[in-house]
Amino acid sequence: MHLNRRLGAVLTATAAATAVLTGSAQAAGTMTELPALPGSYEAIATGVNNAGVIVGRSIRDGWGRATRWTAAGGATDLGALPGGQYSIATGINGSGVIAGHSEVAGGTSRAVRFGPGGGITDLGLVPGYSDSFGLGVDEAGVVVGEGWDRSTAGRRAVKWDASGALTQFALPNGTRKSLLGGVAANGIAAGSVFVTEQVEKAVRWDQDGTFTLLASLPGGGNTRAIAVNRYGQAAGYAYTANGYQHAVRWSREGRVIDLGAATPHHSIARGINENGTVVGDAQDSTGRYQPTRWSSGGEALALGLPANTYAGSAWAVNRAGVIVGFTDEGGRSRAVRWYAG
């Protein structure tokens, strides 16, 4: 199973549903645990639209199930394709159209589109690849994602329009492999391309199909864009000259801003809203990852964790500043919604 993003430092909440935020920088706000589907023992939230509707997955018997939460917190099972045991929801647009992927009979994955009123559409495979994954959706219902090949580990960033027609994102000369990070409401997409098997560069694709390679940190190494907003600002990570992975934000012009410059530890940005607010996680001095929000000015705010949890990650933020992600308590994840004011 492939999600295009690290699930390693996952987080988990306690039974208390709501708590006051705490962190190294302080802000008034709330933290709410979202319920897993009945019979599931953990959940992960990965996307939120401007109406506050959240998507992700619940996990039962080792299998994920695509889940939608209303703004009030009620959970709905979105189903899976025939013959499949697992499904995952990765993004949702303002009309309630949801992107994701589902297992099919035989154990491979297919990119899917979930309708706002229910129903699931198999978007099919990318020619030459064994599996496909839906990783985001824009306001026109265009699903972005990847083709992935199990035998070669090859990956290709693609999109499916509202009718299901497939387009591959353009590659710079000399590259063969691309990853899809995210898509903005107006169809601007971001991800990365591999110049060699070891050299990865962040890229933004505009609506007309043209691409822009995004800057690296001075003296640094690989970069990857994981999210982008309608103004072409992207967020993700870049490696520093001394080998640390830092959360970064790129301007429309492709300039890079190091959001992790104030700490020697690792950090990663996973979401960005149209105001330029970035969310992700940052490693503390003990090595644990803490859910973090960076303001448009670059100020970091630790979003806080429930009691008895030790790590967390924020994955998406909407226009109003509602943040979603998950926390971890001994390997069991809990979907969480933060609002930091």
Side-chain angles (χ1 to χ4, degrees):
M1 186 171 60
H2 158 71
L3 277 177
N4 196 36
R5 298 170 181 169
R6 177 181 53 78
L7 289 176
V10 203
L11 336 166
T12 303
T14 58
T18 305
V20 176
L21 291 176
T22 59
S24 57
Q26 301 295 323
T30 59
M31 175 168 46
T32 303
E33 181 183 328
L34 301 169
L37 292 172
S40 298
Y41 53 85
E42 56 183 321
I44 293 169
T46 54
V48 59
N49 68 10
N50 285 331
V53 181
I54 298 164
V55 296
R57 62 177 174 142
S58 299
I59 302 168
R60 177 176 55 205
D61 300 326
W63 298 100
R65 193 73 166 192
T67 305
R68 176 180 61 218
W69 289 272
T70 65
T76 299
D77 185 342
L78 296 175
L81 291 172
Q85 296 193 68
Y86 76 79
S87 60
I88 298 168
T90 55
I92 180 171
N93 71 11
S95 301
V97 177
I98 297 167
H101 39 277
S102 172
E103 185 188 34
V104 295
T108 58
S109 292
R110 298 289 187 276
V112 298
R113 180 187 290 111
F114 300 96
I120 180 173
T121 301
D122 184 347
L123 297 175
L125 291 173
V126 178
Y129 297 85
S130 62
D131 298 72
S132 62
F133 303 93
L135 298 169
V137 59
D138 69 15
E139 288 305 308
V142 175
V143 172
V144 299
E146 292 179 8
W148 176 62
D149 189 72
R150 294 179 178 226
S151 61
T152 66
R155 294 164 69 173
R156 186 65 189 268
V158 301
K159 59 182 176 182
W160 293 266
D161 70 16
S163 71
L166 173 69
T167 301
Q168 298 187 4
F169 285 103
L171 291 173
N173 290 337
T175 62
R176 294 182 298 170
K177 183 175 174 181
S178 55
L179 282 65
L180 197 290
V183 67
N186 60 354
I188 298 174
S192 62
V193 295
F194 281 77
V195 179
T196 70
E197 283 300 314
Q198 289 76 39
V199 179
E200 182 182 8
K201 296 295 183 183
V203 64
R204 185 187 66 232
W205 291 280
D206 287 334
Q207 299 99 321
D208 62 2
T210 58
F211 60 83
T212 300
L213 291 174
L214 305 174
S216 301
L217 291 173
N222 289 349
T223 58
R224 182 181 297 184
I226 298 174
V228 64
N229 67 18
R230 65 168 62 247
Y231 303 113
Q233 297 172 307
Y237 64 78
Y239 279 88
T240 65
N242 58 2
Y244 284 101
Q245 182 191 63
H246 278 192
V248 297
R249 179 174 54 228
W250 288 276
S251 70
R252 169 67 192 176
E253 297 74 28
R255 295 190 300 271
V256 63
I257 300 167
D258 186 350
L259 298 174
T263 172
H265 308 296
H266 296 289
S267 57
I268 183 170
R270 303 180 184 279
I272 185 170
N273 68 10
E274 59 195 64
N275 302 317
T277 299
V278 172
V279 298
D281 44 89
Q283 193 178 33
D284 64 21
S285 59
T286 70
R288 296 173 179 174
Y289 283 88
Q290 304 297 321
T292 303
R293 184 196 71 183
W294 291 270
S295 70
S296 58
E299 181 184 5
L301 172 73
L303 295 172
L305 297 169
N308 302 319
T309 63
Y310 66 93
S313 184
W315 275 44
V317 55
N318 72 5
R319 179 191 302 150
V322 175
I323 300 164
V324 299
F326 41 96
T327 60
D328 183 68
E329 181 187 39
R332 293 185 61 193
S333 59
R334 291 290 183 270
V336 175
R337 176 179 61 214
W338 292 271
Y339 181 70

